[in-house]
Structure formats: structure tokens, C-alpha cells
Amino acid sequence: MSTPTRRSLREQAASLGEPAGLTAAPVPSGPVSSVPTRGARRGVGRVLADILLWIAAIAGVVCMVLVVLALTANITLIMFRTGSMSPTIPAGSVAVVQQIPASEIEVGDVVTVDRPGDLPVTHRVTSISAGATDAERVITMRGDANAGDDPYPYTVQTVRVVLLSVPGIASVIVAMGNPYVLGALTVAATMLVVWAFWPRSSTVRRRRTSLEPG
């Protein structure tokens, strides 16, 4: 029996229609889909982390803008606990207000008047008359849900006029003032930032090494 030579092997391969010197690639054993699955899960987690970071960044920018507006333009927030201004401003709304001099008040404005020893009142101006000084005005107001004007007029030098309102978010803002909620949010934000920016080079290197043929 003769030993097969390289020439005879090439002739056999040619007769079978296969290129000589090539062998079938070994099929890897084990769960092939495990690595892509982990990669896909990590990709989804990364996207969610990026979204949460963007939300946190936008919230931070909004807070900074509100601080700047409060210091430069006398713009602040007030919450409506009652429905006296419904349906225009229902209970549970938060309004953006700006402090203005009494001389700029107009009939129809919704303004907040501070009352010494009592809670501020936010109603619609129904009439304006001159006060004792040029900077002073005497105004009457009425809630949109009320049948008549407030029981007595208000003598003011400044008021806070409502610029816009957002219904239904007063409870969220109140909850944000809870120290337990603030603590939980601080811890969650810290963990999110640490997770998002934690170096992953060593993990990627180990994964690539495990995939290389040994």
C-alpha cells in the first residue's frame, strides 16, 4: 500500500471540487449566544443610564435657571392648595410668579398678595384705585370659583403676578422637600454617576481575551 503524497492529495481535492490544503473551521463549543446577550444587556443599561443622566442634568439646569431668575427678575414659584381659582388654576397647581410694583397692576391680572399674620392669597384683580401714595394701590380681588369679591380690599405697594401655571405637580414639589426623599435621590444620583463613569477597559480586555482562540 503506497503512502499518499502531496501531489496525490491535491489531485484528490481537485477531483472533489475543493481547494487543496483547506480544512473546515472548528465549530466553537458552548453557548455561543451568551456573550452577545451580555453585550446587548449592557448596551440597554448604558442607554438607560444616559437617559437618566440627561434628565438629572436638565433638572439641574432648570434649578439653576430658577435661582438666577429669583435673584435677578424676582421670579419664584407658589403652590395652590385650594381650588378658589378653578378651573383656571386648579388645586395642586404650581405657578410661576413675578414681583411687580402696584402701579403696573391691571384689572384681570391674577396676583398674589401677602397678608401679615396670614397666608398669601392669589385671586384675580377686579378693580384698582389710587392709594395714599403714588406707589400704593387699593385693589379688590375675586377667585374664579367664587361668586363674589373677597370680603375686603387690599392696600399694596407690590404684588406677585402669575405668569403661568402647571397643574398637578404641587405634590411632587412638596415630596422633594422631604428629607428622606432628598436623601434617597442623592444616593441614587451618586450611584448612577459612579456606575456611568466607572472605567470598563479591564472588563472589555478580559472579554476579548476569552474570545481569542487559545
Side-chain angles (χ1 to χ4, degrees):
M1 183 176 180
S2 60
T3 303
T5 62
R6 185 178 299 177
R7 180 176 180 181
S8 63
L9 291 174
R10 286 199 298 268
E11 291 175 352
Q12 291 177 8
S15 65
L16 294 174
E18 298 177 354
L22 297 179
T23 58
V27 178
S29 60
V32 179
S33 61
S34 60
V35 173
T37 301
R38 287 197 299 268
R41 290 176 180 174
R42 185 175 294 275
V44 172
R46 184 71 179 183
V47 171
L48 290 176
D50 290 342
I51 292 174
L52 292 176
L53 285 173
W54 273 107
I55 293 174
I58 292 172
V61 170
V62 170
C63 291
M64 289 188 291
V65 170
L66 289 176
V67 171
V68 172
L69 290 176
L71 295 176
T72 60
N74 293 321
I75 291 178
T76 54
L77 301 178
I78 61 171
M79 291 181 290
F80 286 78
R81 296 183 178 180
T82 66
S84 63
M85 280 300 299
S86 297
T88 308
I89 308 176
S93 300
V94 172
V96 179
V97 297
Q98 182 179 23
Q99 183 172 316
I100 61 173
S103 58
E104 297 181 8
I105 303 172
E106 297 180 358
V107 173
D109 287 343
V110 178
V111 301
T112 299
V113 173
D114 294 317
R115 299 181 294 177
D118 204 347
L119 293 175
V121 59
T122 304
H123 283 166
R124 192 177 301 277
V125 177
T126 55
S127 68
I128 306 171
S129 58
T133 65
D134 292 340
E136 195 173 79
R137 295 292 185 274
V138 179
I139 62 175
T140 58
M141 300 197 301
R142 177 191 303 181
D144 288 0
N146 298 338
D149 290 347
D150 295 351
Y152 49 84
Y154 305 94
T155 301
V156 295
Q157 293 186 346
T158 62
V159 295
R160 287 174 285 169
V161 62
V162 174
L163 303 178
L164 59 94
S165 63
V166 180
I169 65 170
S171 57
V172 177
I173 293 181
V174 171
M176 293 289 288
N178 187 301
Y180 295 104
V181 175
L182 287 176
L185 290 175
T186 302
V187 172
T190 302
M191 294 177 62
L192 177 63
V193 171
V194 171
W195 182 88
F197 292 99
W198 191 266
R200 293 175 173 81
S201 57
S202 59
T203 305
V204 174
R205 190 180 301 112
R206 287 196 300 269
R207 186 184 303 168
R208 290 178 178 176
T209 303
S210 64
L211 293 176
E212 291 178 357

